[in-house]
Amino acid sequence: MFELKKNAVNRVTMKWYMDNLKDKIIMPEKKTQLLPNYTEQDLEKVISDIMSNLSIDSIAITDKNELVDGYKRISAINSFINGDIEYNGKVYSELSSEEKELFDNYHIGIFAG
Protein backbone atom coordinates (compact mmCIF):
# COMPACT_ATOMS: atom_id res chain seq x y z
CA MET A 1 0.00 0.00 0.00
CA PHE A 2 1.18 3.52 -0.83
CA GLU A 3 2.13 5.64 2.17
CA LEU A 4 2.49 9.39 2.17
CA LYS A 5 6.09 10.60 1.97
CA LYS A 6 6.97 12.94 4.82
CA ASN A 7 7.89 16.58 4.11
CA ALA A 8 6.71 16.30 0.52
CA VAL A 9 3.62 17.00 -1.55
CA ASN A 10 2.07 13.67 -2.44
CA ARG A 11 -0.25 13.50 -5.46
CA VAL A 12 -2.99 11.01 -4.68
CA THR A 13 -6.31 10.18 -6.29
CA MET A 14 -9.53 11.09 -4.57
CA LYS A 15 -10.26 7.35 -4.36
CA TRP A 16 -7.00 6.83 -2.44
CA TYR A 17 -7.92 9.73 -0.16
CA MET A 18 -11.36 8.23 0.53
CA ASP A 19 -9.96 4.76 1.20
CA ASN A 20 -6.91 5.71 3.24
CA LEU A 21 -7.08 9.17 4.78
CA LYS A 22 -10.58 10.69 4.84
CA ASP A 23 -11.61 9.26 8.20
CA LYS A 24 -8.17 9.82 9.75
CA ILE A 25 -7.85 13.57 9.21
CA ILE A 26 -8.27 15.55 12.41
CA MET A 27 -10.08 18.79 11.63
CA PRO A 28 -9.28 21.87 13.73
CA GLU A 29 -11.94 22.88 16.21
CA LYS A 30 -13.67 26.17 15.59
CA LYS A 31 -13.43 26.95 19.30
CA THR A 32 -9.64 26.93 19.28
CA GLN A 33 -8.91 28.53 15.92
CA LEU A 34 -10.26 31.38 13.89
CA LEU A 35 -11.90 29.42 11.09
CA PRO A 36 -14.09 31.09 8.50
CA ASN A 37 -17.71 30.12 8.12
CA TYR A 38 -17.97 28.89 4.55
CA THR A 39 -21.31 28.93 2.80
CA GLU A 40 -22.68 25.90 1.01
CA GLN A 41 -21.97 27.73 -2.25
CA ASP A 42 -18.29 28.14 -1.25
CA LEU A 43 -18.02 24.40 -0.69
CA GLU A 44 -19.94 23.52 -3.86
CA LYS A 45 -17.49 25.68 -5.86
CA VAL A 46 -14.62 23.44 -4.74
CA ILE A 47 -16.50 20.36 -5.96
CA SER A 48 -17.35 22.11 -9.23
CA ASP A 49 -13.64 22.84 -9.75
CA ILE A 50 -12.79 19.19 -9.09
CA MET A 51 -15.49 17.94 -11.46
CA SER A 52 -14.19 20.40 -14.09
CA ASN A 53 -10.70 18.95 -13.53
CA LEU A 54 -9.42 22.34 -12.40
CA SER A 55 -6.55 22.41 -9.95
CA ILE A 56 -7.26 23.10 -6.31
CA ASP A 57 -4.47 23.90 -3.88
CA SER A 58 -2.84 21.16 -1.87
CA ILE A 59 -3.78 20.45 1.71
CA ALA A 60 -1.29 20.08 4.52
CA ILE A 61 -1.40 17.67 7.44
CA THR A 62 0.94 16.95 10.34
CA ASP A 63 2.50 13.57 11.03
CA LYS A 64 -0.52 12.93 13.28
CA ASN A 65 -2.96 13.70 10.42
CA GLU A 66 -4.01 17.04 11.89
CA LEU A 67 -5.15 19.42 9.16
CA VAL A 68 -2.90 22.48 8.96
CA ASP A 69 -3.99 24.01 5.63
CA GLY A 70 -6.93 23.33 3.33
CA TYR A 71 -9.89 23.55 5.68
CA LYS A 72 -12.32 24.69 2.96
CA ARG A 73 -11.10 22.09 0.46
CA ILE A 74 -11.30 19.16 2.88
CA SER A 75 -14.63 20.39 4.29
CA ALA A 76 -16.05 20.52 0.76
CA ILE A 77 -14.67 17.13 -0.28
CA ASN A 78 -15.83 15.38 2.89
CA SER A 79 -19.24 17.08 2.82
CA PHE A 80 -19.76 15.99 -0.78
CA ILE A 81 -18.70 12.39 -0.12
CA ASN A 82 -20.89 12.29 3.03
CA GLY A 83 -23.91 13.58 1.10
CA ASP A 84 -24.14 16.98 2.79
CA ILE A 85 -23.61 19.12 -0.33
CA GLU A 86 -24.44 18.56 -3.99
CA TYR A 87 -22.87 18.97 -7.40
CA ASN A 88 -25.42 19.55 -10.17
CA GLY A 89 -28.18 18.38 -7.83
CA LYS A 90 -26.42 15.14 -6.84
CA VAL A 91 -24.43 13.96 -3.86
CA TYR A 92 -21.42 11.69 -4.42
CA SER A 93 -23.40 8.44 -4.11
CA GLU A 94 -25.81 9.63 -6.85
CA LEU A 95 -23.15 10.42 -9.46
CA SER A 96 -23.26 8.55 -12.75
CA SER A 97 -20.47 6.03 -13.29
CA GLU A 98 -18.69 8.52 -15.57
CA GLU A 99 -18.96 11.34 -13.02
CA LYS A 100 -17.84 9.06 -10.20
CA GLU A 101 -14.84 7.93 -12.25
CA LEU A 102 -13.91 11.57 -12.89
CA PHE A 103 -14.15 12.42 -9.18
CA ASP A 104 -12.41 9.24 -7.99
CA ASN A 105 -9.47 9.74 -10.38
CA TYR A 106 -8.98 13.44 -9.60
CA HIS A 107 -5.51 14.05 -8.12
CA ILE A 108 -5.14 16.09 -4.97
CA GLY A 109 -1.88 17.23 -3.40
CA ILE A 110 -1.30 16.36 0.23
CA PHE A 111 1.67 17.80 2.05
CA ALA A 112 2.53 15.43 4.88
CA GLY A 113 4.62 17.12 7.54
Side-chain angles (χ1 to χ4, degrees):
M1 179 176 102
F2 171 80
E3 291 192 25
L4 296 175
K5 293 178 186 167
K6 299 292 181 194
N7 298 316
V9 175
N10 300 266
R11 304 292 299 168
V12 301
T13 64
M14 202 62 77
K15 178 75 172 136
W16 185 92
Y17 167 77
M18 289 187 288
D19 292 344
N20 297 284
L21 191 58
K22 177 185 172 287
D23 295 326
K24 296 177 184 170
I25 286 189
I26 300 166
M27 300 292 279
E29 292 185 33
K30 286 193 179 238
K31 295 176 189 171
T32 60
Q33 295 191 20
L34 297 174
L35 296 172
N37 288 317
Y38 294 111
T39 67
E40 193 171 309
Q41 290 77 22
D42 293 332
L43 301 180
E44 288 172 354
K45 172 73 170 90
V46 173
I47 302 306
S48 178
D49 288 350
I50 290 170
M51 296 303 288
S52 298
N53 204 29
L54 298 175
S55 179
I56 62 171
D57 289 337
S58 297
I59 66 159
I61 59 173
T62 67
D63 59 348
K64 293 182 172 80
N65 295 333
E66 297 166 316
L67 185 68
V68 178
D69 185 45
Y71 184 80
K72 178 170 83 170
R73 294 178 293 279
I74 289 302
S75 295
I77 291 165
N78 290 350
S79 294
F80 181 61
I81 294 167
N82 293 339
D84 298 326
I85 63 170
E86 298 177 343
Y87 167 74
N88 282 350
K90 300 177 197 172
V91 296
Y92 174 77
S93 62
E94 298 170 332
L95 294 177
S96 69
S97 57
E98 294 83 16
E99 290 169 322
K100 197 171 276 192
E101 184 176 338
L102 179 69
F103 184 84
D104 289 351
N105 290 318
Y106 181 85
H107 282 84
I108 185 169
I110 300 174
F111 179 85

